[in-house]
């Protein structure tokens, strides 16, 4: 039996993956600041299949105690744990030197880099050595390509990939899969299209993705990802 743990399930790709896991009756722990009505309803009806852990991933204090609230019985009869690092933010979209309040920088790094680092470290620590861990990192082309206005996003995405590369070398029972889902039709893309062209010179290109109908459907992407995870 598998246990899935996923962050960022209130919308977009994370919501679609979580909903499909629920339909497949996979054991699931969803981590987030908020949840959809469907997720809340199912957690009430089938608490043995889905458990919701409330956590603001931009708040370091909440992350440090999150696994204290983790239902230990969820490890019973589980031989593989699949952690899906899905939560992420793109903003603030600004050129370096224009971020203003350092809290914006801190919150971004907390969500995109520090939170998965802390959660994965805790997961590795509490998981019995006999159980296999698979980490699915929802990455981005920005992890390897410098984009003006995206210094925080590019660097945080690159940093978590390197962290996971080291982890995979250290642990024989841990498998890492980095997945770049491409440009999807999500709220993040809306935020990008509403950015300032002076801060993000590629704005016209991303607006054209929408106008030309080239944004990927998140439901289709979720299906493709689960096919790669679930044998």
């Amino acid at each position: 039996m598998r246990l899935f743990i996923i962050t960022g399930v209130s919308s977009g790709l994370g919501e679609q993956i979580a909903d499909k896991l629920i339909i497949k009756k996979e054991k699931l722990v969803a981590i987030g600041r908020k949840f959809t009505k469907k997720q809340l309803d199912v957690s009430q009806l089938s608490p043995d299949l889905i458990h919701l852990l409330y956590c603001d991933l931009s708040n370091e204090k909440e992350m440090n105690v999150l696994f204290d609230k983790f239902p230990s019985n969820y490890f019973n009869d589980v031989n593989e744990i699949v952690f899906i690092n899905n939560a992420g933010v793109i903003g603030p979209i600004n050129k370096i030197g224009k971020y203003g309040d350092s809290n914006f920088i801190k919150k971004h790094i907390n969500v995109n880099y520090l939170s998965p680092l802390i959660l994965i470290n805790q997961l590795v620590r509490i998981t019995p050595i006999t159980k296999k861990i698979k980490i699915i990192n929802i990455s981005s082309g920005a992890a390897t390509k410098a984009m003006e206005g995206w210094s925080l996003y590019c660097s945080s995405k690159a940093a978590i990939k390197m962290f996971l590369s080291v982890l995979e070398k250290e642990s024989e029972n841990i498998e890492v899969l980095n997945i770049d889902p491409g440009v999807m039709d999500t709220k993040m893309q809306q935020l990008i299209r509403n950015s300032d062209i002076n801060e993000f010179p590629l704005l016209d290109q991303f607006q054209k993705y929408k106008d030309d109908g080239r944004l990927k459907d998140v439901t289709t992407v979720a299906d493709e990802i689960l096919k790669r995870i679930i044998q």
Side-chain angles (χ1 to χ4, degrees):
M1 180 182 288
R2 286 178 295 251
L3 168 62
F4 285 85
I5 303 172
I6 180 171
T7 61
V9 296
S10 63
S11 64
L13 181 62
E15 178 186 1
Q16 290 299 317
I17 292 176
D19 285 356
K20 291 178 184 300
L21 290 172
I22 289 170
I23 292 171
K24 293 177 181 291
K25 297 190 181 303
E26 296 280 356
K27 206 167 190 179
L28 174 65
V29 173
I31 300 173
R33 188 167 47 86
K34 56 184 179 179
F35 302 98
T36 66
K37 183 180 184 302
K38 179 178 180 179
Q39 292 160 4
L40 291 166
D41 290 345
V42 174
S43 70
Q44 291 293 321
L45 293 172
S46 303
D48 56 327
L49 280 180
I50 177 171
H51 184 82
L52 307 181
L53 282 181
Y54 289 86
C55 181
D56 180 354
L57 296 178
S58 70
N59 187 321
E60 185 177 347
K61 291 181 179 179
E62 289 189 28
M63 285 184 281
N64 283 326
V65 299
L66 179 63
F67 271 70
D68 293 342
K69 299 180 286 185
F70 192 88
S72 58
N73 64 304
Y74 266 51
F75 283 113
N76 296 344
D77 302 322
V78 168
N79 53 31
E80 181 181 48
I81 299 165
V82 182
F83 178 85
I84 304 177
N85 176 42
N86 169 73
V89 293
I90 186 76
I93 298 176
N94 286 106
K95 291 182 178 178
I96 298 170
K98 295 185 178 180
Y99 287 126
D101 192 333
S102 62
N103 283 329
F104 287 110
I105 298 176
K106 184 177 180 180
K107 286 184 177 180
H108 181 110
I109 298 301
N110 280 356
V111 173
N112 283 10
Y113 178 63
L114 188 59
S115 67
L117 188 154
I118 290 174
L119 295 176
I120 291 167
N121 178 66
Q122 292 176 336
L123 180 63
V124 172
R125 187 178 69 238
I126 68 175
T127 301
I129 192 70
T130 55
K131 299 182 188 296
K132 182 179 178 181
I133 298 176
K134 183 180 291 184
I135 297 174
I136 311 302
N137 180 43
I138 305 302
S139 188
S140 166
T144 57
K145 182 179 180 180
M147 308 272 282
E148 292 181 66
W150 288 12
S151 61
L152 294 180
Y153 190 69
C154 292
S155 59
S156 60
K157 286 295 186 181
I160 191 62
K161 280 188 71 175
M162 181 55 72
F163 173 80
L164 293 174
S165 294
V166 174
L167 173 64
E168 195 169 31
K169 282 186 174 293
E170 292 177 347
S171 308
E172 292 183 359
N173 68 322
I174 296 177
E175 177 186 353
V176 174
L177 181 61
N178 290 293
I179 296 178
D180 175 5
V183 186
M184 299 177 292
D185 195 3
T186 61
K187 290 181 180 179
M188 182 180 287
Q189 284 299 314
Q190 288 181 328
L191 192 152
I192 292 171
R193 293 195 299 272
N194 290 330
S195 61
D196 184 344
I197 196 169
N198 294 312
E199 301 300 321
F200 181 51
L202 293 178
L203 177 62
D204 289 344
Q205 176 181 322
F206 278 75
Q207 289 177 333
K208 194 169 176 59
Y209 287 146
K210 178 68 172 179
D211 295 339
D212 294 348
R214 287 190 285 161
L215 295 177
K216 292 184 177 180
D217 176 68
V218 289
T219 303
T220 302
V221 175
D223 282 331
E224 292 171 352
I225 290 173
L226 287 177
K227 284 179 183 178
R228 296 180 65 179
I229 300 173
I230 301 175
Q231 303 299 326

